[in-house]
Amino acid sequence: MFRPPYLQPGDHVALVSPAGFIAPSYVTAAANLLRNWNLCPIIGPHATSIDGYFAGTDEQRIQDMQWAMDTEDIRAIFCTRGGYGSMRIVEQLDYSIFQGSPKWLIGFSDITVFHAKLNTLGIESLHAPMPKSFENTHPDAMQRLHDFLFGKVTHYCLPGHPFNREGAVQAELIGGNLTLLHCIRSTSLECKHQSPILFIEDVNENLYSIDRMVQSLKLSERFERLQGLIVGTFSEMKGLNFGKTAEEIIHEVMDDYTYPVCFGFPAGHIADNYPLIMGSTIEMTVTSKETVIRFEND
């Protein structure tokens, strides 16, 4: 996998909206924050457009993404928010220039679709907070995002969790939002690597839907292909009468496998949304007391 060049002070970065619409105030605030990071933000022409649920028409969102990917002096692409819409445009983009000069793509939730696409192209990307959530993200997580983008990649050391399974593994990290990963299963966007470490998180889903998705992935033998699993946050779950938490649902399914499993990674639709380099080779060591995750070149 190829890692895009780290950012330098004065670099131009783009803010684009490939999915749901966003209020201009979020984009303005994010641009100000990026200026404080000594970056030069450029707001996409349709970043705050509205077309029903989406940030502009499909064609407008395609134009903005293509512009951000192809413009030579733009060194990173901040997706402003998730919601829904990335699947409608991801395969209509031309990645030929981007492949020759990759740059960081940052986002989570619906942006899982773009992380998956870049994985098929052999390019790393950053699962991390977006402008819509910047103001509510913990300062430590924002600092870690800044540091990762500027080349200060550090490891994570997490406390133990009762559902963890001990072990050590080194493999490529893939994943993102569970619902989106389930949606792109068996498509051109699905990771083709046979033995990765999978990260999953989700928000505002019925617990029976979480169970249905993990049971579906189990039946399709997706879990059998893994070398490890990292479980992020499953927040604002609905249908609590299902009788199990999302973590309990996943833990139950993992009983059929033997690889290391880490529960409680601080990433997802929460304030403690810490960055993960998707596509990076990571070392994950899970013991009874802690989980340590190191990225390649850490």
Side-chain angles (χ1 to χ4, degrees):
M1 298 290 288
F2 183 85
R3 180 166 298 176
Y6 296 120
L7 299 184
Q8 302 291 329
D11 278 350
H12 291 80
V13 298
L15 291 93
V16 295
S17 304
F21 70 83
I22 185 170
S25 59
Y26 288 107
V27 179
T28 300
N32 289 335
L33 181 144
L34 295 174
R35 290 188 189 98
N36 289 336
W37 288 1
N38 292 315
L39 296 171
C40 298
I42 305 174
I43 299 172
H46 305 102
T48 58
S49 295
I50 299 177
D51 183 64
Y53 185 84
F54 307 110
T57 64
D58 287 355
E59 184 57 37
Q60 288 173 329
R61 301 195 322 280
I62 289 169
Q63 289 175 6
D64 277 15
M65 284 296 291
Q66 197 71 65
W67 159 77
M69 291 195 303
D70 292 353
T71 301
E72 185 176 357
D73 63 349
I74 288 176
R75 304 313 309 155
I77 303 170
F78 287 85
C79 299
T80 65
R81 64 157 296 179
Y84 172 65
S86 298
M87 288 185 68
R88 296 171 61 97
I89 67 171
V90 63
E91 289 290 38
Q92 298 188 55
L93 293 160
D94 180 352
Y95 295 88
S96 56
I97 294 177
F98 184 86
Q99 283 182 273
S101 183
K103 57 195 72 175
W104 287 105
L105 182 138
I106 303 105
F108 72 107
S109 193
D110 195 65
I111 308 306
T112 294
V113 172
F114 282 103
H115 293 309
K117 177 62 180 181
L118 297 194
N119 184 273
T120 69
L121 300 178
I123 299 169
E124 295 180 4
S125 55
L126 205 54
H127 184 283
M130 299 178 286
K132 179 66 163 64
S133 59
F134 275 179
E135 66 179 11
N136 295 318
T137 301
H138 194 284
D140 287 348
M142 289 299 296
Q143 183 63 49
R144 186 88 67 141
L145 170 58
H146 170 278
D147 290 349
F148 275 35
L149 285 170
F150 281 86
K152 186 180 178 181
V153 178
T154 50
H155 70 280
Y156 290 105
C157 186
L158 310 173
H161 189 286
F163 289 165
N164 282 359
R165 181 185 294 122
E166 296 183 42
V169 63
Q170 183 180 54
E172 182 179 307
L173 178 64
I174 66 167
N177 181 263
L178 175 61
T179 298
L180 270 299
L181 294 171
H182 186 260
C183 288
I184 65 173
R185 183 185 55 166
S186 300
T187 71
S188 61
L189 299 174
E190 186 174 31
C191 174
K192 302 302 187 292
H193 301 285
Q194 293 301 307
S195 302
I197 296 171
L198 176 66
F199 164 75
I200 54 174
E201 64 84 29
D202 220 319
V203 64
N204 201 32
E205 286 288 342
N206 272 293
L207 287 166
Y208 73 79
S209 294
I210 299 296
D211 187 75
R212 181 169 56 198
M213 286 186 282
V214 297
Q215 293 295 334
S216 175
L217 292 173
K218 177 182 178 181
L219 288 171
S220 58
E221 301 182 347
R222 266 44 176 195
F223 290 135
E224 289 186 11
R225 305 174 187 177
L226 302 181
Q227 289 196 56
L229 178 70
I230 299 173
V231 181
T233 59
F234 283 72
S235 52
E236 302 176 37
M237 292 290 104
K238 298 182 292 187
L240 302 183
N241 61 348
F242 187 75
K244 298 176 183 177
T245 66
E247 290 77 13
E248 288 170 336
I249 291 167
I250 297 165
H251 177 60
E252 185 179 78
V253 170
M254 287 298 107
D255 280 344
D256 291 340
Y257 310 99
T258 60
Y259 44 73
V261 179
C262 164
F263 278 82
F265 189 90
H269 293 72
I270 55 168
D272 288 342
N273 186 14
Y274 282 77
L276 289 165
I277 305 175
M278 310 310 293
S280 174
T281 296
I282 68 169
E283 296 178 0
M284 181 170 76
T285 303
V286 184
T287 68
S288 59
K289 295 183 178 181
E290 64 181 13
T291 296
V292 177
I293 296 174
R294 296 184 182 277
F295 298 91
E296 193 173 43
N297 301 325
D298 174 5

